[in-house]
Amino acid sequence: MWILQQADAVAALPEIVLAVLTLALLMLGVFRKGDASDTVTLGALIALAITALLVIFAPDHQAVAFHGALMVDTFAKVMKVLALFGSAAALVLSVSFMKRDGSQRFEYPVLILLATIGMMLMISANNLIALYMGLELQSLSLYVLAAINRDSARASEAGLKYFVLGALSSGMLLYGASLVYGFTGSTEFPAIANYLTNNGATIGAVFGLVFVIAGLAFKISAVPFHMWTPDVYEGAPTPVTAFFAAAPKVAAVALITRTMMEAFGAIQPAWGQIIVFISIASMALGAFAAIGQSNIKRLLAYSSIANMGYALVGLAAGTQEGVQGVVLYMIIYMIMTLGSFACILAMRRKGYMVEEISDLAGLSRNHKGLAFVFSMLMFSMAGIPPLAGFFAKYFVFLAAVKAGLYALAIIGVVTSVVGAYYYLRIVKIMYFDEPKEAFEPMDGEVKLIAYASGAFTLLFVLPWIASPVIAVAAAAAKSFY
C-alpha cells in the first residue's frame, strides 16, 4: 500500500507542490500586515516556475496515479508546461495594470494558481470524475477572476454571465458523464474504451457522449456554446481576458482531445461527425461575426472562437497527425494571443485604457515598434505565410486532408480568407488612417511579452525554431498511439 501511495505522490508531484505553495501564499496574504500583493505575485511566479521544472524533469515513462484517475504522459507534460507558461505570462501582464487600475489585491495571483491547478488536473484526467473535479476547480476560480474588479459594473456582469452559463454547461457535462457511466459501467477511460471496442457505439453511450462534448465545447467557447465569450472578454479586466484566452483554452483543448482519443477512440466515426459540425460552425461564426465589431476585445473574442474551430479540425481527423496539429496549433495560438493582448494593454491615453479599434488610427507614426509587432501578430492570425499562424493552420488542414475530410479543410481555408478581412482592417487603420493622440509609453513587462511574441511569430519559419516545436508536438501526439 505504501509503494502505491508513493507512486501516486511522484506522479502527481507538480500538482501537489503547486497546491501547497498556493495555500502558503494565501496564508501569507491573509496574515501579513499591509498590502501583500507584490510579494504574493512574485511568489506565484516562482511557484509556477518550480512547478514547470517539476513537470519538465519528471520521469519520461507513462504513469498513472490514484488508481488510474490521473495519467502522466508526454502529452500531459507538454500541455501542462504550455498552461503554466500561459498563466505566468498573464500574471506578468497584469502587474502594472492592476496597480494603475486600483484593483490590485493578493487574491488575484492566488486565484490564478488555483485555476492552474485545475488546468493541470484537467490535462491529466483519466476518468470522468477527475475530469469534472479539474474542470470545476478551474471554472470556479475563473468566475471570480472575471468579476475581480468589484467597482466595475461591466466586470460584475461578465462574472455573473460566465457563472450562470458555466453552471448550465457543468450540468450538461455531469448528465453526459452519468449516461456514459450507466451504459458502460465505468468512469475510467480505459474501461470505457474497452466497452466501446467490444460493443460498438450503443445509443446510450452516444447520447452520453453528445452531452459530454457539449459541456467541454462550452469551456473552449466553440459554437453553439460560445455565447458567453464576447461579453466576458469585453467586461473582464484586460489581463484577465488575456488569461482566459490563453491557458484555460489550452487545458480545455487538451481535455477534450484526451477524452475523445482515450475514452471514445473506438467510436471515432460517431464523435468525429459532431466535432466536424462544431469546427465548421466555430470557424464560420468567428469569421463573419467579427467583421462588424468595433471593440478590439470583442473582436479577439470572436477570433478565439474561430481559432478553436481550426484547432478542432485536427481533432476531427482522429489521427496521430491530427493530434500533432492540435498541439502545435495551441502552442502557436497561445503565444500569438498573449502578444495581441500585450499590445492591447499598451492602448492607454491620459491614464485610461481605450479599447476601440479606431483608437489605433495612425499608430505606425506614433509608435513604430508597437505597430509593427501588432501587424505581425494580425498577419499571423490571418494565416499569412511565412508567419507562425500559417504553419499552425497548415498542419491541421493537412491532417484533415489525409483523413479524407476534404470539405472540412476547404471550409477552413475559405473562413480563413474571410477572417483575414478584419485582421487586415486593423493593420490598415494603424498604417493608413489619420493618426490620433499617441498612447502612453508601454510598461516594461508588457513590451517584453509583446516583442517576444512578435519575434516568435516572425521567426518561426527558421528551422532551428520550428523543428523543436514540431518535434515536441509529434512526441505529445505519440502518447495516444
Side-chain angles (χ1 to χ4, degrees):
M1 190 64 181
W2 165 245
I3 294 173
L4 177 64
Q5 291 173 346
Q6 194 173 27
D8 291 345
V10 170
L13 186 61
E15 287 87 347
I16 294 169
V17 168
L18 186 57
V20 170
L21 292 174
T22 302
L23 293 176
L25 289 170
L26 177 60
M27 291 300 101
L28 174 64
V30 169
F31 291 109
R32 181 171 174 178
K33 293 178 181 177
D35 185 20
S37 303
D38 288 337
T39 307
V40 175
T41 301
L42 178 61
L45 289 170
I46 294 170
L48 289 169
I50 291 170
T51 307
L53 290 173
L54 288 173
V55 173
I56 291 167
F57 293 109
D60 283 335
H61 61 83
Q62 193 176 79
V64 291
F66 305 107
H67 303 285
L70 296 181
M71 166 72 74
V72 182
D73 53 13
T74 307
F75 177 80
K77 289 173 69 174
V78 170
M79 300 308 271
K80 282 179 185 178
V81 170
L82 195 57
L84 288 162
F85 173 77
S87 298
L91 202 51
V92 169
L93 285 175
S94 67
V95 175
S96 296
F97 178 93
M98 292 297 186
K99 284 181 180 175
R100 197 179 296 110
D101 200 41
S103 56
Q104 187 183 33
R105 45 177 67 91
F106 77 85
E107 293 92 343
Y108 176 74
V110 171
L111 286 166
I112 294 262
L113 292 184
L114 288 171
T116 307
I117 297 167
M119 290 178 223
M120 295 176 73
L121 292 175
M122 287 164 62
I123 292 167
S124 280
N126 199 41
N127 73 20
L128 295 172
I129 296 172
L131 175 156
Y132 184 73
M133 288 177 65
L135 203 59
E136 283 308 292
L137 176 56
Q138 178 213 245
S139 298
L140 290 170
S141 302
L142 296 186
Y143 301 149
V144 182
L145 281 169
I148 193 78
N149 186 357
R150 290 173 295 188
D151 298 326
S152 168
R154 284 203 315 171
S156 299
E157 183 185 348
L160 185 61
K161 282 182 179 175
Y162 194 15
F163 172 70
V164 172
L165 293 169
L168 174 66
S169 77
S170 292
M172 294 171 72
L173 179 64
L174 271 181
Y175 182 60
S178 66
L179 284 174
V180 170
Y181 171 67
F183 284 96
T184 64
S186 178
T187 60
E188 307 285 330
F189 286 179
I192 294 169
N194 187 50
Y195 173 89
L196 294 174
T197 302
N198 295 329
N199 297 279
T202 61
I203 292 178
V206 171
F207 260 95
L209 171 62
V210 169
F211 279 100
V212 168
I213 292 176
L216 296 177
F218 177 91
K219 301 303 178 186
I220 61 171
S221 59
V223 176
F225 309 100
H226 65 285
M227 65 291 289
W228 61 274
T229 314
D231 291 335
V232 172
Y233 273 44
E234 183 183 8
T238 304
V240 175
T241 306
F243 178 60
F244 283 3
K249 290 288 176 70
V250 168
V253 167
L255 177 60
I256 195 170
T257 302
R258 185 180 293 282
T259 306
M260 294 303 106
M261 302 305 294
E262 290 277 8
F264 300 99
I267 55 169
Q268 192 276 332
W271 58 259
Q273 298 174 46
I274 305 170
I275 299 296
V276 165
F277 168 76
I278 292 174
S279 175
I280 291 172
S282 300
M283 291 187 294
L285 183 128
F288 288 100
I291 290 174
Q293 300 304 318
S294 60
N295 183 288
I296 187 77
K297 285 163 71 177
R298 287 186 75 88
L299 184 142
L300 285 185
Y302 285 108
S303 168
S304 80
I305 293 168
N307 275 297
M308 291 304 101
Y310 296 125
L312 290 176
V313 170
L315 179 58
T319 61
Q320 185 173 334
E321 282 188 338
V323 176
Q324 179 185 345
V326 171
V327 176
L328 182 65
Y329 197 96
M330 293 314 296
I331 292 171
I332 294 172
Y333 162 78
M334 195 182 79
I335 293 173
M336 292 191 304
T337 299
L338 288 168
S340 299
F341 276 100
C343 293
I344 292 172
L345 280 165
M347 294 171 63
R348 197 175 67 250
R349 290 195 183 104
K350 297 175 182 175
Y352 293 98
M353 293 293 300
V354 290
E355 297 177 359
E356 295 300 305
I357 296 171
S358 58
D359 289 313
L360 290 164
L363 184 65
S364 62
R365 277 170 267 184
N366 296 326
H367 201 314
K368 289 182 171 59
L370 177 61
F372 178 76
V373 168
F374 207 2
S375 297
M376 288 303 102
L377 292 168
M378 293 298 100
F379 281 133
S380 182
M381 284 196 171
I384 294 173
L387 302 172
F390 166 76
F391 293 99
K393 290 180 179 177
Y394 171 77
F395 275 92
V396 291
F397 291 159
L398 183 65
V401 168
K402 288 186 176 180
L405 300 173
Y406 303 112
L408 179 61
I410 291 169
I411 292 170
V413 172
V414 171
T415 54
S416 291
V417 173
V418 174
Y421 166 78
Y422 56 82
Y423 294 124
L424 298 181
R425 175 170 156 251
I426 294 174
V427 177
K428 173 257 178 189
I429 288 170
M430 288 192 292
Y431 277 88
F432 298 107
D433 284 14
E434 281 302 309
K436 290 195 173 184
E437 186 182 345
F439 294 142
E440 293 176 14
M442 294 173 73
D443 298 311
E445 66 275 12
V446 173
K447 182 183 284 190
L448 173 66
I449 289 176
Y451 282 46
S453 175
F456 173 86
T457 301
L458 190 59
L459 301 176
F460 187 81
V461 68
L462 300 176
W464 55 272
I465 293 180
S467 296
V469 178
I470 293 169
V472 163
K478 207 173 287 185
S479 300
F480 300 117
Y481 296 90

